[in-house]
Amino acid sequence: MFKPRDLFDLGQTEHAALFDGCEFAWDALKKLKAYIDAYPQPDDPATTRPGVFIGPNVLIGAGTVIEEGAMIKGPAIIGRHCEIRHNAYIREHVILGDHCVAGNACEFKHSLLFNHSVVPHFSYVGDSILGHKAHLGAGVKISNVKLMAGNVTVLKDGKPFDTGLRKFGALLGDNTDIGCNSVLNPGSVIGRGSVIYPCTNWRGVLAANSIVKNQAPQQIISRKP
C-alpha cells in the first residue's frame, strides 16, 4: 500500500508529475523542493493584500480567499478557491490543491495537499502528503522528526524500512479523517477511507478502510460537597 496510486487519486492534483518514477509515495517528498523552485512564476505575482504577508515565489489561484493575519512565506503554490484563514502560517515548499482549507493557527511546511484537503484549526503539517478530501480535526499534530538520530522508517514486510528521509511526517490516503488532538508520529501511513478517533497517539501503517478507536476508561464518582 505504499505506491502512490495505492493511496491517492492522482487525478485530484495538478501536480501528479511529482510522483513520476516514485516507487513509494513518500519519494515525492524528496522531489518537492526542486519541483516548486522550478515551477513557472506569474508575470505579476499577487504579493500585496491588506493585513497579509506573502513572500516571493508564491502562486495564488483564482478565487482563493486569504484572511487578515495569514502568512505565506513561500515558495508555495496555492490552488483555486482555497481558504487561507486568520493566522495560518504556510512556510517553505508547500502545495495546496484546489478547494483546500488552511485553518486558523495552522502551520504547514514542505507538504502537498490534494484537492479538497481540509486542515481547519490549530494543526501542524510537516513533510507530509494529504490525499483528496483528507481531513484533520482540530489540534491534530503530524510529527515529522524522530527524537533519535537517523532516517524515518516504516514497517514493510514485518521489518523496518529506511525511507531515506530524515524528516517525514505522514501519508494520508484519500478520504481519511483524523480526530481532534491526535498525534501522528513520523512515518505514519494511513490507508484510504480510514478514521482515527480523537486523542489517539498513532504510529505505523494503517490499512485502508480501518477505524482506530481510542476508548480509554473513564471513571465517574460522586462529587463531595
Side-chain angles (χ1 to χ4, degrees):
M1 61 175 288
F2 299 140
K3 296 182 183 300
R5 293 189 182 277
D6 293 339
L7 294 161
F8 309 120
D9 177 357
L10 298 184
Q12 289 295 336
T13 176
E14 291 188 0
H15 309 283
L18 266 170
F19 296 93
D20 289 350
C22 291
E23 181 179 2
F24 305 109
W26 58 73
D27 290 334
L29 293 171
K30 302 172 185 177
K31 302 162 62 177
L32 183 59
K33 180 182 183 299
Y35 178 88
I36 295 176
D37 288 344
Y39 204 78
Q41 298 296 313
D43 294 331
D44 185 22
T47 55
T48 56
R49 299 194 183 196
V52 174
F53 177 89
I54 302 176
N57 303 320
V58 174
L59 284 77
I60 300 173
T64 285
V65 175
I66 305 177
E67 296 181 0
E68 186 172 349
M71 180 176 187
I72 308 176
K73 187 176 180 180
I77 302 170
I78 311 298
R80 297 176 288 269
H81 305 292
C82 294
E83 293 180 40
I84 313 298
R85 295 178 179 169
H86 177 67
N87 282 350
Y89 180 27
I90 299 176
R91 292 170 54 193
E92 301 89 341
H93 301 105
V94 171
I95 297 177
L96 302 187
D98 297 338
H99 301 279
C100 288
V101 174
N104 59 300
C106 291
E107 180 178 346
F108 301 82
K109 175 255 181 188
H110 195 260
S111 293
L112 165 66
L113 277 64
F114 278 63
N115 298 341
H116 295 275
S117 291
V118 177
V119 184
H121 316 285
F122 315 115
S123 291
Y124 176 72
V125 177
D127 299 278
S128 298
I129 302 174
L130 277 58
H132 178 231
K133 293 187 176 179
H135 172 261
L136 303 188
V140 171
K141 304 298 188 290
I142 301 180
S143 177
N144 61 336
V145 182
K146 292 169 54 178
L147 291 176
M148 307 299 289
N151 292 339
V152 176
T153 62
V154 299
L155 200 63
K156 181 176 181 288
D157 300 325
K159 298 179 181 179
F161 181 83
D162 188 343
T163 64
L165 292 165
R166 174 65 180 133
K167 295 184 177 181
F168 170 27
L171 305 177
L172 272 58
D174 297 339
N175 296 291
T176 51
D177 204 334
I178 312 299
C180 296
N181 290 323
S182 292
V183 174
L184 303 182
N185 285 279
S188 293
V189 180
I190 311 300
R192 294 175 185 251
S194 289
V195 174
I196 294 180
Y197 272 27
C199 298
T200 298
N201 183 3
W202 176 261
R203 182 184 306 276
V205 179
L206 182 64
N209 301 309
S210 299
I211 298 176
V212 176
K213 294 186 176 183
N214 183 5
Q215 297 178 317
Q218 295 179 331
Q219 184 181 16
I220 301 174
I221 61 174
S222 297
R223 182 179 178 184
K224 297 180 179 180

